Amino acid sequence: MFARLSQLTRHLSRPSLAFTPVVTNPAPSLSPLHHRTPSTMTSSAIANASKTIHTAACLIIGDEVLGGKTIDTNSAYFAKYCFQLGIQLKRIEVIADDESEIVEAVRRMSNSYDFVVTSGGIGPTHDDITYESIAKAFGLKLKLHQPAFQRMKQLARPHPMQPHFDWEKPSPGLAAKLRMVELPHDPTVPEEQQAIFVANDMWVPIAVVNGNIHILPGVPRLFERLLEYLKPNLLPRLTNPEGKGIFRFLFSTPLPESAIAPYLTELARRANPHGVKVGSYPRWEKKRNTVTLVGGNKHFMETLVPEVEHNVHGRKVSREDELDPPSDHEK
C-alpha cells in the first residue's frame, strides 16, 4: 500500500520545479439530477459552474481506509479548509472502491451540495476506479486528456525500476499511466471547465464532473496542495468573496454541562436566526469544559461574549486549555 502511495506521489508531482498557482476559470457547482438525459446533464453542469457555494461534502474512496491500512487525514484537512472559507461542510463519507457505491454517492452528493470533493482511487492500478465510476454515474465516457498527458510526460519522474520506459511505445506500463489521464468527458461542456490545472509543477488536473464534483488524489500531500491552489477559483463564488470564513469563539467554564444546559438551550434559540451555532463539549478528566459559538456573524457573536462569560462563570479563551490548572508534574 505505502509503495503504491509513493509511486503515485512520484507520478503526480515534481517538487524541484518552481511552484506558482495557475488561475483558471472558476470550477463548477450544483443542480438536481432527477432525469439523467443529455440535455438535463448539460444544463445541470452549466448551472453548477457558476452557482454560489454555500455547502460542501467530502467523499473518501478507498478499501485501504475501510480496512484500517491507511488513516484518512484528508477529510480533517477539508473540514478546516471549508471552515476557513466560510463554506458549510455538511457531510463526510468513506466508501469502498466499489463502482455501485461510488455511483450512488456522487449522484446524491452532486444533487445535494454545492461543492463536492472526492479523494482517492485515481492511480494506475486495477482497483483505482474513481474516474470510470464517476463517468458512469453521469452517463459520460472516459477520454484521454491530451493536456494532462503532455504535462505528465514533461513532469512525471521515471520510476527507478523503469529506466528505459518509452512514452511513445505501447506497453503495460504506459497503459497503466494512461489510466490516470483518461478523464470523464462531457462533450457539451468547455474543456477548461472539466479539468483545472492549479500548479505549474503538477501535471495532475482537478477533474470536474457535473459542475460540482471535484476529483482529487488520495495522497494527503497532493490532496492538500491541489485544494490550496484551487482557492482563487472558489473565492468569487463564496457568499463572502474575501474568503474570511467562519469564526469560532471558545469559552472555558468550570461548570458541568448539566448546569449550563438550560442557558445554552435558550441561547441557541436566539443565536440560530443569526446563523450562529452554540456548542458544549466536555473535557474528560479536566476541571474545565468548553462552550463554543460558531458562525459568520462576528459582530453579533462579539455582543454575546459578556453574557456568555457571566452565565457560564467562565471566560473567552484562545485555547481550550488556557485556564486549566497546572498538572501535578508542573506544580
Side-chain angles (χ1 to χ4, degrees), residues 2-23:
F2 294 108
R4 174 179 160 191
L5 293 181
S6 297
Q7 180 185 15
L8 186 55
T9 303
R10 185 182 299 108
H11 279 314
L12 303 189
S13 177
R14 186 178 179 182
S16 60
L17 296 181
F19 190 83
T20 55
V22 178
V23 180

Side-chain angles (χ1 to χ4, degrees), residues 67-223:
K69 294 181 180 179
T70 300
I71 297 175
D72 166 49
T73 61
N74 289 343
S75 58
Y77 178 86
F78 188 63
K80 295 177 182 177
Y81 180 85
C82 289
F83 189 90
Q84 292 169 355
L85 292 177
I87 302 171
Q88 295 183 53
L89 178 58
K90 306 291 283 187
R91 179 173 294 272
I92 295 174
E93 292 184 22
V94 182
I95 62 174
D97 291 298
D98 179 275
E99 182 183 273
S100 62
E101 298 231 2
I102 297 172
V103 168
E104 186 280 327
V106 296
R107 283 178 178 172
R108 171 169 42 81
M109 287 185 170
S110 181
N111 192 40
S112 301
Y113 308 107
D114 303 322
F115 178 50
V116 180
V117 165
T118 73
S119 163
I122 60 172
T125 59
H126 71 284
D127 59 342
D128 289 307
I129 60 171
T130 296
Y131 282 144
E132 57 193 270
S133 299
I134 294 179
K136 183 174 182 178
F138 296 98
L140 305 176
K141 294 182 179 181
L142 295 180
K143 179 182 177 181
L144 179 65
H145 193 271
Q146 286 293 343
F149 183 43
Q150 295 303 317
R151 288 168 69 101
M152 174 193 276
K153 290 194 288 186
Q154 177 186 359
L155 299 175
R157 293 182 294 176
H159 193 282
M161 299 301 291
Q162 295 178 307
H164 304 297
F165 178 80
D166 189 340
W167 287 103
E168 307 303 326
K169 183 179 180 180
S171 68
L174 177 60
K177 287 179 169 58
L178 290 177
R179 283 174 56 85
M180 296 188 286
V181 287
E182 291 173 344
L183 310 181
H185 177 70
D186 185 341
T188 66
V189 175
E191 290 282 352
E192 64 271 15
Q193 292 185 15
Q194 300 189 62
I196 304 174
F197 295 101
V198 295
N200 287 333
D201 69 335
M202 300 179 71
W203 63 260
V204 62
I206 297 176
V208 182
V209 177
N210 201 45
N212 62 349
I213 301 289
H214 298 70
I215 308 172
L216 278 77
V219 180
R221 183 171 67 85
L222 303 177
F223 180 89

Side-chain angles (χ1 to χ4, degrees), residues 83 247-253 277 279-281 283 289-294 301 305 308-309 312 314-323:
F83 189 90
F247 302 95
R248 179 185 284 119
F249 287 7
L250 304 176
F251 298 84
S252 177
T253 172
K277 292 187 176 182
S280 176
Y281 303 95
R283 300 178 62 230
N289 295 316
T290 302
V291 171
T292 64
L293 300 178
V294 178
M301 293 164 65
V305 171
V308 175
E309 290 183 328
V312 304
R315 201 174 82 197
K316 183 174 179 290
V317 294
S318 57
R319 304 187 325 272
E320 280 192 306
D321 62 354
E322 188 174 313
L323 299 181

